């Protein structure tokens, strides 16, 4: 079964973006999408209409902040970086995710 | 919580820098596109094809912008702006409807609030004294020796003061008539009043052995008669030829303990009564403080902490019984003083209390009428608008969106009405002194807009407006679009059979009739007052106050001579005839013209 492309499970996008930023440091939107694409072995393809609203939302919540910078090819780009609150949030979200995954796994394995 | 607050603040920051935000979206979009093209180019795709693929992958730009705007918190604002604009057009298209609704609501809210505020100022606002609920009044009048005995008992009252109001008499400098009360020296301290200027009476100033010519003036008197002079303390105020030293100015708003009576302008020590009234030669008032059989004083006491009102009452009954036993000759058996709370007797007598209740009922009626009127109007319009609503539903408007739009409309209507109702309130309150100019001093209470009452009235109307304003949305979302859109006949057929409208009309008619009858009776009563026939022709009469005091060179013989001869010696040709009498009761009724 192949995963439908560009589909991100609801509620996990925040987690993915925060984790990417935590691991790789400040990135612009395009490279975030790229990285996620690569890391997911080319399965995840983030639509722009999904990624940027999510970035805005994360910024509103104070989990990331953004400022203008220049890329290696000296283009003007907005760089996003994770904040302290974002790291805390990431930890929480990751914890929730692991818990949820474990429960689902146990159910699927038939551990009744 | 903090996160939520930060979120809101961040959104607001975005909203306030909308242009910057749009620019940022543009830049992001462009960068993404460029980088995508570059990447395709790196993979060896020819430039045109790379460009095409990148565009396909990125998708529609408008949608991107819209989604980002939604995330940026612009959507609600955008729709609110649309709604407000639409409301403005709808209301402007029906100026008659708008005007009637806004005026009706504004009149209802403004008038009710005005009446409530007036009633509140008289009935409900607590006395400007410390802990008014701990004050009690011994009903009826008592004699001075009895008062001293009550006070000496000291079991249930921490302090007790005696009050007696005097007739009005003129201040010598201006000839202006003022009302005065004589009180025991502890009066102000017992009430816990803080003087605006100077001091209250001190212990011993009510001493009968050595009389102290001191006076405390009311705040109103200080402002009107003494010109708000800050250095008034220690100056002399001459009343009936008696120079009195002003020692204090009572706090603003303090108008004695009887709201129905004329508010006193002066307070004098009780021992000054005879001096000021020049009663030395009057056998009734001479040395009245020594006689137990003469009851002329009101007594007010402050109940001790921890003592209940009933305990205090029982004690007063007991002391009274002891007094009757000790002085059977003077304290007769039918003398039955009772204890009343001071706050309770403040309602300006039973008659005024009833009047005020009626006024409140009238105000409620008015509010209810204006609400039902507006509800009826909105309801009627709801049916007229069914086609419009149906069209908008057919074009894909969501029910919640429709409700939000109608809500905006109702709220804007309500807000217009609130703004106008403040003007109505000011206008009505401004009219009050004009209506009641004959009772001016009695109405000397500060009338301010009571926020609680305004909020209450406004909320009632707002609820009514919003509820009925939403009617088209609720009805509209229930109806089938096709029938609604088909023809005009639907308007008639859709009038509900449940009788909601009928109920409204009935309520409205009943309330209107009640109010109309009430108002009619009220006006008749007032007209009746004004046309009471005093039994003589008032139009050509003039009242000239004269004072036949010792200091003007009169003694009792000369005074009697003046009274006997004045009618004969008409020295003013403008007057046809004279008459002399001692007390003029018509004074208040404005017949001095």
């Amino acid at each position: 079964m192949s995963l439908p492309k560009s589909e991100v499970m609801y509620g996990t996008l925040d987690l993915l973006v925060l984790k990417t930023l935590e691991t790789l440091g400040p990135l612009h939107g395009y490279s975030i999408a790229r990285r996620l694409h690569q890391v997911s072995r080319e399965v995840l393809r983030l639509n722009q209409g999904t990624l940027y609203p999510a970035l805005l939302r994360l910024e509103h919540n104070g989990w990331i902040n953004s400022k203008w910078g220049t890329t290696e090819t000296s283009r003007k780009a907005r760089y996003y970086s994770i904040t302290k609150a974002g790291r805390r949030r990431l930890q929480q979200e990751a914890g929730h995710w692991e818990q949820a995954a474990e429960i689902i796994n146990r159910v699927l394995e038939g551990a009744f | 919580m903090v996160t939520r607050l930060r979120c809101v603040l961040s959104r607001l920051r975005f909203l306030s820098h909308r242009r910057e935000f749009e620019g940022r979206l543009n830049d992001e979009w462009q960068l993404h596109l460029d980088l995508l093209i570059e990447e395709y180019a790196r993979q060896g795709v020819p430039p045109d094809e790379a460009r095409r693929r990148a565009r396909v992958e990125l998708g529609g730009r408008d949608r991107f912008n819209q989604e980002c705007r939604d995330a940026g918190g612009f959507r609600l604002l955008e729709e609110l702006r649309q709604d407000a604009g639409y409301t403005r057009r709808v209301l402007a298209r029906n100026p008659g409807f708008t005007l009637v609704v806004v005026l009706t609501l504004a009149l209802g809210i403004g008038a009710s609030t005005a009446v409530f505020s007036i009633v509140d100022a008289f009935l409900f606002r607590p006395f400007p004294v410390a802990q008014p609920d701990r004050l009690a009044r011994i009903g009826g009048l008592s004699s001075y020796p009895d008062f001293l005995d009550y006070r000496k008992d000291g079991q249930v009252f921490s302090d007790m003061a005696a009050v007696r109001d005097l007739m009005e008499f003129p201040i010598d400098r201006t000839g202006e008539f003022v009302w005065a009360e004589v009180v025991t020296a502890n009066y102000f301290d017992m009430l816990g009043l803080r003087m605006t200027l100077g001091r209250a009476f001190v212990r011993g100033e009510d001493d009968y052995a050595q009389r102290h010519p001191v006076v405390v003036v009311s705040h109103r008197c200080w402002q009107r008669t003494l010109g708000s002079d800050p250095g008034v303390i220690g100056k002399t105020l001459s009343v009936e030829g008696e120079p009195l030293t002003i020692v204090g100015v009572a706090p603003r708003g303090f108008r004695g303990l009887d709201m129905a009576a004329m508010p006193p302008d002066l307070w004098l020590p009780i021992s000054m009564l005879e001096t000021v009234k020049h009663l030395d030669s009057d056998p009734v008032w001479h040395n009245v403080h020594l006689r137990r059989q003469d009851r002329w004083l009101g007594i007010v006491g402050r109940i001790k902490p921890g003592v209940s009102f009933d305990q205090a009452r029982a004690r007063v009954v007991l002391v009274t019984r002891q007094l009757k036993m000790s002085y059977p000759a003077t304290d007769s058996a039918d003398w039955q003083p009772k204890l009343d709370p001071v706050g309770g007797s403040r309602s300006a007598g039973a008659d005024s209390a009833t009047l005020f209740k009626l006024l409140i009922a009238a105000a409620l009626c008015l509010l209810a009428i204006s609400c039902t009127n507006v509800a009826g109007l909105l309801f009627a319009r709801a049916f007229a608008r069914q086609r419009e609503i149906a069209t908008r539903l057919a074009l894909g408007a969501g029910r919640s969106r429709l409700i939000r739009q109608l809500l905006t409309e109702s709220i804007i209507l309500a807000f217009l009405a609130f703004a106008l109702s403040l003007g109505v309130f000011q206008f009505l309150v401004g009219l009050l002194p004009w209506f009641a100019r004959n009772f001016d001093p009695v109405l000397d209470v500060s009338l301010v807009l009571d926020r609680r009452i305004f909020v209450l009235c406004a909320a009632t109307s707002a609820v009514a407006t919003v509820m009925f304003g939403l009617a088209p949305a609720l009805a509209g979302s229930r109806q089938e679009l096709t029938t609604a859109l088909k023809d005009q006949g639907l308007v008639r057929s859709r009038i509900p059979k449940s009788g909601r409208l009928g109920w409204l009309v009935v309520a409205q008619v009943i309330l209107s009739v009640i109010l109309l009858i009430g108002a009619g009776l009220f006006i008749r009563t007032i007209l009746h007052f004004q046309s009471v026939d005093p039994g003589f022709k008032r139009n050509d009469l003039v009242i000239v106050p004269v004072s036949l005091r010792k200091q003007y060179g009169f003694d009792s013989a000369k005074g009697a001579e003046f009274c006997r001869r004045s009618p004969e010696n008409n020295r003013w040709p403008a007057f046809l005839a004279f008459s002399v009498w001692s007390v003029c009761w018509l004074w208040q009724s404005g017949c001095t013209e």
Side-chain angles (χ1 to χ4, degrees):
Chain A
M1 192 188 81
S2 68
L3 273 172
K5 282 203 166 186
S6 90
E7 201 151 286
V8 182
M9 205 191 286
Y10 181 76
T12 55
L13 184 57
D14 288 8
L15 183 62
L16 294 177
V17 171
L18 286 176
K19 183 66 191 174
T20 311
L21 289 178
E22 195 207 24
T23 322
L24 300 175
L27 292 176
H28 51 74
Y30 181 77
S31 51
I32 295 175
R34 275 292 98 171
R35 290 294 170 176
L36 282 174
H37 189 59
Q38 288 164 5
V39 169
S40 66
R41 297 193 198 109
E42 319 241 322
V43 174
L44 271 182
R45 172 143 279 186
L46 283 180
N47 188 309
Q48 303 320 296
T50 321
L51 178 62
Y52 283 97
L55 286 173
L56 281 170
R57 200 177 57 246
L58 289 172
E59 198 177 344
H60 276 320
N61 283 311
W63 295 328
I64 59 174
N65 51 33
S66 66
K67 58 172 188 276
W68 292 113
T70 38
T71 65
E72 313 89 72
T73 51
S74 50
R75 285 178 194 280
K76 199 174 112 182
R78 196 139 182 113
Y79 276 84
Y80 296 88
S81 52
I82 190 163
T83 63
K84 227 183 226 172
R87 283 173 207 280
R88 272 201 304 276
R89 177 74 185 176
L90 175 61
Q91 242 170 9
Q92 267 178 21
E93 289 272 296
H96 289 163
W97 174 254
E98 276 160 21
Q99 216 177 358
E102 193 195 317
I103 291 169
I104 291 172
N105 275 335
R106 278 170 64 182
V107 171
L108 290 180
E109 285 159 12
F112 287 100
Chain B
M1 187 62 215
V2 177
T3 313
R4 165 120 332 166
L5 188 71
R6 193 166 38 208
C7 194
V8 169
L9 284 179
S10 168
R11 266 164 204 267
L12 281 178
R13 205 173 49 234
F14 270 47
L15 289 182
S16 57
H17 297 91
R18 181 153 186 177
R19 191 176 297 248
E20 202 183 303
F21 177 76
E22 297 279 343
R24 178 175 152 184
L25 284 189
N26 257 338
D27 290 349
E28 293 269 30
W29 171 269
Q30 199 56 51
L31 176 75
H32 213 98
L33 187 68
D34 291 350
L35 291 176
L36 210 54
I37 294 169
E38 266 177 32
E39 186 156 333
Y40 279 121
R42 263 205 304 281
Q43 288 168 12
V45 181
D48 280 353
E49 178 60 12
R51 199 173 298 274
R52 196 191 65 82
R53 278 200 207 171
R55 281 196 185 281
V56 168
E57 194 178 326
L58 269 183
R61 180 163 186 172
D62 285 342
R63 193 163 152 227
F64 168 77
N65 276 349
Q66 195 54 51
E67 275 170 17
C68 286
R69 268 189 222 124
D70 290 354
F74 287 109
R75 180 178 182 159
L76 203 68
L77 193 80
E78 190 87 345
E79 289 185 358
L80 211 65
R81 222 190 41 188
Q82 283 174 9
D83 286 350
Y86 183 71
T87 301
R88 198 178 50 75
R89 289 198 301 278
V90 166
L91 295 184
R93 207 165 50 213
N94 305 306
F97 169 81
T98 311
L99 200 70
V100 169
V101 166
V102 168
L103 267 183
T104 311
L105 273 184
L107 274 178
I109 301 172
S112 316
T113 313
V115 170
F116 272 122
S117 301
I118 292 164
V119 172
D120 174 71
F122 281 95
L123 264 183
F124 302 124
R125 205 173 298 165
F127 276 110
V129 302
Q131 292 183 302
D133 51 322
R134 301 300 291 168
L135 288 177
R137 180 200 307 260
I138 296 182
L141 297 173
S142 309
S143 68
Y144 192 69
D146 283 341
F147 160 68
L148 293 179
D149 286 336
Y150 278 122
R151 183 156 77 172
K152 207 164 57 198
D153 177 59
Q155 292 280 320
V156 292
F157 292 101
S158 56
D159 203 357
M160 229 177 207
V163 198
R164 161 77 196 199
D165 60 318
L166 302 179
M167 297 242 313
E168 57 181 347
F169 45 86
I171 291 177
D172 289 348
R173 187 158 49 101
T174 58
E176 189 185 340
F177 278 76
V178 292
W179 284 86
E181 275 183 353
V182 290
V183 294
T184 47
N186 61 342
Y187 180 71
F188 294 107
D189 289 338
M190 189 202 72
L191 295 178
L193 292 172
R194 295 174 61 117
M195 296 285 147
T196 302
L197 285 176
R199 58 169 174 86
F201 295 132
V202 292
R203 178 187 279 275
E205 273 183 331
D206 55 355
D207 201 357
Y208 272 93
Q210 194 207 345
R211 293 176 193 181
H212 294 80
V214 288
V215 64
V216 168
V217 300
S218 74
H219 195 274
R220 183 170 153 267
C221 176
W222 175 59
Q223 282 188 325
R224 290 200 184 173
T225 313
L226 304 169
S228 301
D229 178 8
V232 78
I233 303 301
K235 287 193 177 160
T236 303
L237 185 73
S238 182
V239 172
E240 299 258 347
E242 275 300 318
L244 302 169
T245 309
I246 299 172
V247 295
V249 176
R252 186 192 177 100
F254 179 66
R255 28 179 295 142
L257 293 179
D258 191 352
M259 290 297 278
M262 296 294 286
D265 301 300
L266 309 177
W267 287 272
L268 302 163
I270 197 157
S271 52
M272 289 300 292
L273 171 70
E274 280 184 56
T275 320
V276 174
K277 295 287 283 178
H278 296 274
L279 299 165
D280 310 76
S281 55
D282 186 333
V284 176
W285 290 100
H286 184 54
N287 282 340
V288 68
H289 63 285
L290 297 177
R291 291 193 298 272
R292 203 174 274 276
Q293 67 268 31
D294 286 336
R295 303 209 185 93
W296 55 287
L297 280 172
I299 301 178
V300 180
R302 184 173 285 283
I303 300 173
K304 278 184 183 173
V307 177
S308 78
F309 199 83
D310 287 329
Q311 284 170 320
R313 186 183 317 222
R315 186 69 198 174
V316 167
V317 170
L318 186 72
V319 174
T320 308
R321 196 175 304 146
Q322 285 169 353
L323 285 174
K324 281 181 185 176
M325 269 154 47
S326 310
Y327 309 101
T330 53
D331 292 5
S332 60
D334 60 337
W335 176 51
Q336 297 283 0
K338 55 184 184 1
L339 198 66
D340 301 318
V342 165
S345 51
R346 143 161 219 262
S347 52
D351 288 349
S352 324
T354 317
L355 179 72
F356 281 136
K357 276 180 200 151
L358 277 175
L359 274 176
I360 289 188
L364 282 177
C365 257
L366 192 67
L367 189 65
I369 287 179
S370 66
C371 283
T372 44
N373 265 326
V374 169
L377 278 170
L378 289 171
F379 225 76
R381 206 168 65 120
F383 292 109
R385 279 178 78 176
Q386 272 188 343
R387 266 176 86 91
E388 177 205 324
I389 303 285
T391 311
R392 296 178 60 193
L393 280 171
L395 288 176
R399 187 175 166 189
S400 68
R401 183 82 178 76
L402 208 59
I403 289 181
R404 211 183 318 153
Q405 200 268 310
L406 288 165
L407 203 64
T408 312
E409 222 173 284
S410 304
I411 289 173
I412 285 180
L413 271 179
F415 263 101
L416 284 175
F418 296 161
L420 196 62
S421 70
L422 288 176
V424 172
F425 174 84
Q426 284 303 338
F427 177 72
L428 288 176
V429 166
L431 274 188
L432 187 75
W434 181 79
F435 269 126
R437 55 199 183 284
N438 289 337
F439 308 101
D440 183 28
V442 181
L443 286 171
D444 184 38
V445 285
S446 54
L447 283 173
V448 287
L449 181 94
D450 190 309
R451 283 198 200 90
R452 292 164 303 157
I453 292 165
F454 179 76
V455 167
L456 191 78
C457 293
T460 314
S461 327
V463 166
T465 314
V466 167
M467 222 167 68
F468 289 97
L470 282 182
L474 301 177
S477 51
R478 244 186 281 120
Q479 75 195 6
E480 309 99 77
L481 291 180
T482 38
T483 32
L485 283 170
K486 246 184 228 159
D487 62 354
Q488 296 286 37
L490 89 139
V491 171
R492 188 164 305 153
S493 69
R494 295 293 300 183
I495 286 180
K497 295 164 186 81
S498 60
R500 236 182 312 175
L501 212 55
W503 176 86
L504 264 182
V505 172
V506 169
Q508 204 171 328
V509 168
I510 291 176
L511 286 170
S512 303
V513 167
I514 292 174
L515 198 65
L516 201 65
I517 293 176
L521 287 176
F522 202 68
I523 289 171
R524 266 192 66 92
T525 311
I526 289 172
L527 288 178
H528 187 65
F529 269 140
Q530 287 183 342
S531 60
V532 165
D533 186 2
F536 53 85
K537 281 201 281 184
R538 294 183 294 187
N539 290 353
D540 306 327
L541 287 181
V542 178
I543 293 173
V544 183
V546 286
S547 186
L548 310 181
R549 301 294 185 203
K550 262 184 275 184
Q551 67 269 21
Y552 304 131
F554 284 100
D555 55 20
S556 50
K558 276 190 183 168
E561 177 77 0
F562 174 85
C563 292
R564 196 172 52 75
R565 292 195 38 187
S566 288
E568 299 161 18
N569 291 356
N570 187 351
R571 274 187 280 170
W572 293 302
F575 292 97
L576 273 178
F578 272 102
S579 169
V580 178
W581 71 102
S582 65
V583 179
C584 179
W585 285 115
L586 289 169
W587 201 262
Q588 292 299 314
S589 55
C591 66
T592 44
E593 301 296 320

